[in-house]
Amino acid sequence: MNSPGWAYALIMLATGVGIPIMAALNATLGVRVQSGPTAAAILFALALAISLCAAVVTGGPQRPLWNAAPWPFYLGGAFVAFYVLSITVIAPRFGLGNAVFLVLVGQIACAAAIDHFGMFGAAKSEMTFARICGLILMALGVFLARKPF
C-alpha cells in the first residue's frame, strides 16, 4: 500500500473506533438528559460547528452548493440522522454491542452491493467468490461477537 493509502487506512480505522465510542457517549447523554432526540440534536449542533470550521479552513465550496449534485446525493444527512437517533435511543435498551454489531452487518452488506454495482458514483468492485466468502466470514464474526439478544 502506498504512503497515502496507509494514512487513509489509519484514518478509517480511527473512524471505526470512534463510531461505537460516539454511540456509547450519545446513548448515555440521551439517558442523562432523558431525551434521545435532544442528545442527537446536541451531537448534530457540535458536528455542524466543527464541519463549518473545517469548510472555512479548507476554503469552502468552489461552486453553489445546491447545484453541485442531483438531489438524492444530499440525503446522506437523513441517513446520519437516522443512525444517530436510532443508536441513541435503542443502544441503552438493546445493548451497545448488539446495536453496533447489527449496524456493522448492515454496513458490510450494503457496502458490498454499492461497490458491486458502482452505485452513487462509487468505483465498481466486482463481487468475486473470494469476496463473498470474506463478507460471509465478516458477518459470521459479527454474529459470534455479539451478546445474545
Side-chain angles (χ1 to χ4, degrees), residues 89-102 146-149:
V89 172
I90 293 173
R93 295 166 175 83
F94 189 56
L96 182 67
N98 286 334
V100 171
F101 290 149
L102 290 168
R146 68 149 181 75
K147 293 186 283 184
F149 301 144

Side-chain angles (χ1 to χ4, degrees), residues 26 29-40 88-89:
N26 221 51
L29 181 62
V31 169
R32 296 270 176 108
V33 300
Q34 298 179 335
S35 172
T38 300
T88 301
V89 172

